[in-house]
Amino acid sequence: MKNQKMYEPGDKLISIIKDNYNILQSLGSFGINLGFGDKTVREVCEDQGVDTYTFLAVVNFTINGYRDYEDADRLSIPTLMHYLKASHDYYLDFQLPFIRKELEEALDLKDNLARLIMRLYDEYAHSIRAHMKYEEKTVFPYVENLINNKVEDAYDIETYSKHHGQTDVKLRELKNIIIKYLPSDGLHNNQLSATLYDIYNNEEWLSQHAKVEDEIFIPAIRRLETKSKQNDVTLKISNMISQTSDNSDSLSEREKDVIISLVQGMTNKEIADHLCISINTVITHRRNIAKKLQIHSPAGLTIYAIVNNLIDISAVKL
């Protein structure tokens, strides 16, 4: 039965571990080393460079299923990324090979059924490795770009969410086959029982890992996407304003005179006569103005002239 206590920053970390020893592996994934004495969660996290709020969000969720965060925007995406990446390393580099070795020692590989079980396990290991590698090659780089305000239109976390299915079906099937169909002698029975116990633990760990991704990571990335897209729009507007300002400074005095004349409704010939230049020069000025400002319509030039104080709005015929 789950411990229903909501752990807080002031709680001693050793007390949480005593209540829930199964979070020991999570400590490693967060980058928290043992040997922290009687320090509180906050003290340990600050000492070891881990975001306290995010650590407790994951711990409280995995222990008791708490999903209510006082301020979801306080979740540290880099901390979540570190946790998920380290969890992948733990599972792929340690846990998968460890279970395989246990199976090899527990099974008589001269038996056809035993060899089929090993094949089933290898298929499972391949599928889980492919799933986690996809996240590392596609999802995590995408999130890192979001953190760095690089918005990608070709991908979003919803695409990942739709294809984030259960990956432990083969593991469950393997466990059931061993229990139901595999005969064994006394020695191998003990080894199989120990291996089954580890498979059950791995099944639970993998389920919790997927839930953290579904319930904490994916919603956090959705919020980050919304902010990034808003920031992207703001940045584009800012760039447009900046570009307009820069273009205004780059206009020559003669080009500004041409804009004023155009806004006042003069033709090319009238502008040429007014400024004592040739019609071809007027046309060249107008081409350069359009290129610099990216404005081609008389109405657009009128707005530009008013905004940049080249002409007073009262002098414009609307």
Side-chain angles (χ1 to χ4, degrees):
M1 185 175 180
K2 289 185 176 180
N3 187 320
Q4 295 302 312
K5 179 179 178 181
M6 182 78 167
Y7 294 105
E8 299 178 352
D11 291 328
K12 291 183 178 181
L13 185 52
I14 185 66
S15 298
I16 300 179
I17 295 173
K18 287 178 180 178
D19 292 342
N20 313 274
Y21 66 87
N22 55 351
I23 72 163
L24 279 169
Q25 192 278 320
S26 295
L27 297 183
S29 294
F30 276 107
I32 294 177
N33 298 315
L34 301 179
F36 40 73
D38 289 322
K39 291 183 178 179
T40 65
V41 172
R42 181 187 292 108
E43 290 171 335
V44 174
C45 287
E46 290 178 352
D47 287 347
Q48 304 200 28
V50 178
D51 182 75
T52 305
Y53 188 86
T54 306
F55 172 76
L56 282 174
V58 173
V59 167
N60 282 314
F61 174 73
T62 55
I63 293 175
N64 294 318
Y66 286 117
R67 294 177 176 82
D68 297 328
Y69 318 121
E70 292 179 2
D71 185 359
D73 289 332
R74 287 176 58 192
L75 288 170
S76 167
I77 305 299
T79 297
L80 281 175
M81 294 270 284
H82 184 282
Y83 169 80
L84 294 174
K85 287 179 180 179
S87 294
H88 286 186
D89 291 341
Y90 161 77
Y91 201 76
L92 296 179
D93 298 338
F94 174 75
Q95 204 59 42
L96 283 179
F98 178 78
I99 295 293
R100 195 183 197 285
K101 183 178 179 181
E102 281 192 310
L103 281 172
E104 286 179 339
E105 294 174 351
L107 298 174
D108 180 4
L109 296 182
K110 295 178 182 178
D111 181 77
N112 288 335
L113 182 56
R115 288 198 296 271
L116 286 173
I117 286 175
M118 292 303 302
R119 182 189 299 176
L120 181 61
Y121 180 79
D122 288 338
E123 289 175 356
Y124 159 73
H126 176 77
S127 66
I128 196 68
R129 187 175 297 275
H131 172 80
M132 290 184 174
K133 289 300 181 183
Y134 165 78
E135 292 179 354
E136 292 172 5
K137 291 181 180 180
T138 304
V139 181
F140 294 162
Y142 165 72
V143 174
E144 287 170 353
N145 282 337
L146 282 180
I147 294 172
N148 295 317
N149 294 319
K150 297 179 182 177
V151 180
E152 297 180 23
D153 295 329
Y155 190 82
D156 57 30
I157 202 65
E158 200 64 34
T159 302
Y160 165 65
S161 178
K162 290 177 181 177
H163 297 88
H164 189 231
Q166 291 294 324
T167 55
D168 59 348
V169 176
K170 286 187 173 68
L171 190 63
R172 190 179 305 117
E173 181 180 348
L174 172 68
K175 175 191 65 181
N176 291 336
I177 286 176
I178 292 175
I179 294 172
K180 292 180 178 181
Y181 304 116
L182 190 65
S184 61
D185 55 36
L187 174 62
H188 286 86
N189 189 61
N190 289 336
Q191 290 177 320
L192 271 177
S193 295
T195 303
L196 276 170
Y197 181 80
D198 288 337
I199 289 175
Y200 270 99
N201 283 338
N202 274 269
E203 187 178 20
E204 183 178 354
W205 179 92
L206 192 65
S207 175
Q208 288 289 359
H209 177 79
K211 287 178 181 177
V212 169
E213 291 180 324
D214 287 336
E215 303 292 338
I216 298 180
F217 180 66
I218 290 176
I221 302 310
R222 286 197 184 105
R223 289 191 295 272
L224 181 60
E225 283 178 337
T226 300
K227 290 182 180 179
S228 296
K229 288 176 181 178
Q230 290 173 343
N231 291 340
D232 186 51
V233 171
T234 302
L235 180 62
K236 287 179 179 178
I237 293 173
S238 177
N239 287 338
M240 288 174 63
I241 293 173
S242 175
Q243 185 179 28
T244 300
S245 176
D246 292 342
N247 288 332
S248 177
D249 293 339
S250 67
L251 290 176
S252 68
E253 291 302 317
R254 182 60 78 189
E255 287 168 342
K256 292 178 182 178
D257 291 337
V258 170
I259 290 176
I260 294 170
S261 300
L262 286 168
V263 170
Q264 291 176 335
M266 295 184 187
T267 64
N268 286 346
K269 185 177 184 310
E270 289 172 336
I271 295 172
D273 293 340
H274 176 65
L275 299 178
C276 299
I277 56 178
S278 69
I279 293 178
N280 286 337
T281 301
V282 173
I283 294 173
T284 299
H285 282 318
R286 292 188 64 172
R287 187 182 300 118
N288 291 336
I289 290 167
K291 183 177 180 181
K292 289 179 180 180
L293 302 183
Q294 292 298 302
I295 298 175
H296 304 276
S297 68
L301 285 175
T302 301
I303 294 172
Y304 173 85
I306 293 171
V307 170
N308 288 276
N309 298 315
L310 297 183
I311 193 169
D312 190 270
I313 192 171
S314 62
V316 179
K317 295 180 180 180
L318 300 176

